[in-house]
């Protein structure tokens, strides 16, 4: 069975930064695995600018940010295993990996989990009606449009005005689609002010506060949603062929369920807590990597 001193699961901003920092702290046996065939995690699909202001002093796109991180990785002797999904981790410090070569086990001394976060789906809300085609999470829609060039629909409603909702609203508009409304349950948009100005105001996309989707209509494709005003309970049918949910992220920790407190385990990036900025996820990754790397060379 293969062995490594440090196994890092997830090669997003946090995982790459952790790997580089552990190497710089003196650890010379670092293995970084990701189920995707490339490094960068969520970043390659984030083709907008807004990354790297504090880490690199300039505003980069997600892919350009990954390039900078990947340069750091290439300068060190970290072994990167793309296309390897970690299926399980045991208390005996063994990870089960699956990829093109089949299933293999790797023994490790320390593990850094940098598996990012997953999106809340429409199923996590109490919305009545059907579950037809044409409903996407923001991350799904972003990946399909930016990486695979799919055309998802033409009349779009977006639920949630956090950064992902606002960035997706602009993306659909740039694709020539009509964003009928961004719906927000609070009295204020949820994301960063810069994203509100650049994505919503600049493209005059309608945003409605204090409202939510109460019912989904249509089958097999969505034909509209019932929007309810939360202050007076009034509802209205809004026809659309696409609903995008941008209703939050949940740290992805399935692999370590039941043994979160093991001394050989550390968490970094969005699986530790959800970060708005890649720089913050990367900074935490570097901090954790440095700490673990130092412990391993003692
Ligand atoms: C739509 C959107 C817009 C954003 N806009 C900005 C912005 O403008 N500016 C900014 O600074 N930040 C932005 N962010 C935030 C930033 O992208 C994230 O905070 C940061 O990239 C998270 O990094 P991470 O490494 O923690 O997670 P991720 O990038 O999600 O990486 C996790 C990695 O773990 C891998 N993984 C998960 N489970 C397994 C497993 N079992 N086996 C193997 N691999 C696994 C995944 O494949 C993934 O590659 C945005 C995020 C999103 C989603």
């Amino acid at each position: 069975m293969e062995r490594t001193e440090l196994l890092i699961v997830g090669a997003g901003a946090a995982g790459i930064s952790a790997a580089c920092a552990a190497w710089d702290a003196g650890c010379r046996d670092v293995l970084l695995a990701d189920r995707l065939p490339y490094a960068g995690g969520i970043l390659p699909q984030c083709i907008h600018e807004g990354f790297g202001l504090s880490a690199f002093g300039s505003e980069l796109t997600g892919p350009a940010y990954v390039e900078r991180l990947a340069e750091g990785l290439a300068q060190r002797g970290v072994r990167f295993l793309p296309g390897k999904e970690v299926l399980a981790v045991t208390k005996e410090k063994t990870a089960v990996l699956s990829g093109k070569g089949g299933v293999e086990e790797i023994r490790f001394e320390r593990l850094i989990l940098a598996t990012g976060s997953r999106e809340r789906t429409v199923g996590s809300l109490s919305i009545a009606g059907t579950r037809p085609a044409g409903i996407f999470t923001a991350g799904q829609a972003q990946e399909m449009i930016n990486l695979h060039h799919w055309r998802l629909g033409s009349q779009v409603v977006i639920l949630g005005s956090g950064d992902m909702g606002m960035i997706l609203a602009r993306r659909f508009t740039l694709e020539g689609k009509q964003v009928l409304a961004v719906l927000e349950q609070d009295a204020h948009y949820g994301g960063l002010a810069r994203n509100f100005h650049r994505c919503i105001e600049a493209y005059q996309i309608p945003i409605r506060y204090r409202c939510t989707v109460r019912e989904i209509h249509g089958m097999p494709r969505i034909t509209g949603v019932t929007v309810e005003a939360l202050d007076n309970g009034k509802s209205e049918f809004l026809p659309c062929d696409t609903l995008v949910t941008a209703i939050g992220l949940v740290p992805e920790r399935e692999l370590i369920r039941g043994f979160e407190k093991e001394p050989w385990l550390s968490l970094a990036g969005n699986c530790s807590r959800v970060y708005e900025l890649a720089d913050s996820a990367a900074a935490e990754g570097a901090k954790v990597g440095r700490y673990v790397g130092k412990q391993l060379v003692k």
Side-chain angles (χ1 to χ4, degrees):
M1 188 190 304
E2 192 180 339
R3 288 168 187 274
T4 185
E5 280 182 7
L6 173 58
L7 175 65
I8 301 174
V9 186
I16 297 176
S17 305
C20 292
W23 180 270
D24 292 346
C27 180
R28 289 291 175 266
D29 188 9
V30 184
L31 195 59
L32 174 65
D34 201 297
R35 61 187 169 200
L36 293 173
Y38 48 80
I42 193 85
L43 296 168
Q45 70 182 60
C46 298
I47 61 174
H48 57 279
E49 287 187 336
F51 295 85
L53 262 178
S54 60
F56 299 113
S58 56
E59 233 189 303
L60 305 168
T61 62
Y65 190 88
V66 179
E67 261 180 48
R68 298 274 184 107
L69 291 178
E71 278 168 21
L73 203 56
Q75 287 160 8
R76 295 163 175 90
V78 172
R79 284 182 293 154
F80 176 42
L81 298 181
K84 292 276 184 190
E85 170 141 25
V86 177
L87 299 177
V89 172
T90 72
K91 275 192 172 177
E92 291 69 41
K93 301 205 272 186
T94 301
V96 183
L97 281 76
S98 165
K100 267 191 182 161
V103 176
E104 61 186 304
E105 290 188 348
I106 296 180
R107 293 265 308 161
F108 57 83
E109 283 304 308
R110 296 289 301 253
L111 177 77
I112 297 179
L113 195 78
T115 44
S117 50
R118 68 187 128 91
E119 292 175 282
R120 283 186 208 281
T121 64
V122 76
S124 67
L125 303 174
S126 52
I127 298 181
T130 51
R131 289 296 178 268
I135 304 174
F136 307 92
T137 64
Q140 265 175 350
Q142 189 184 54
E143 181 185 348
M144 289 162 105
I145 296 169
N146 292 352
L147 295 185
H148 307 299
H149 314 292
W150 284 40
R151 291 163 195 272
L152 298 187
S154 51
Q155 299 221 299
V156 186
V157 170
I158 295 183
L159 181 61
S161 72
D163 292 317
M164 291 181 72
M166 296 197 284
I167 288 167
L168 256 290
R170 175 179 62 181
R171 190 76 202 115
F172 274 104
T173 306
L174 290 170
E175 291 283 310
K177 315 301 179 193
Q178 190 185 5
V179 177
L180 300 162
V182 174
L183 307 175
E184 170 56 54
Q185 64 179 356
D186 289 334
H188 194 268
Y189 56 85
L192 300 170
R194 74 166 190 229
N195 284 330
F196 177 74
H197 298 310
R198 289 177 183 183
C199 302
I200 301 295
E201 269 188 345
Y203 292 88
Q204 297 175 335
I205 295 170
I207 183 163
R208 296 196 200 174
Y209 296 107
R210 299 285 304 140
C211 64
T212 193
V213 170
R214 276 287 175 245
E215 190 165 353
I216 293 169
H217 305 270
M219 192 55 84
R221 175 99 193 183
I222 183 170
T223 52
V225 292
T226 299
V227 179
E228 184 184 296
L230 293 172
D231 291 329
N232 57 21
K234 277 191 181 160
S235 57
E236 165 198 353
F237 179 74
L238 190 57
C240 65
D241 63 14
T242 306
L243 172 66
V244 174
T245 55
I247 49 178
L249 301 170
V250 185
E252 178 58 78
R253 295 187 203 144
E254 282 303 309
L255 280 176
I256 53 157
R257 192 183 280 192
F259 49 97
E260 291 88 349
K261 300 230 180 311
E262 291 293 327
W264 44 263
L265 171 68
S266 307
L267 271 57
N270 278 6
C271 78
S272 156
R273 72 178 182 84
V274 174
Y275 287 98
E276 277 173 4
L277 296 177
D279 281 352
S280 313
E284 196 210 21
K287 192 170 155 197
V288 172
R290 204 173 306 120
Y291 173 75
V292 173
K294 276 186 190 163
Q295 286 199 327
L296 280 166
V297 291
K298 259 185 196 164

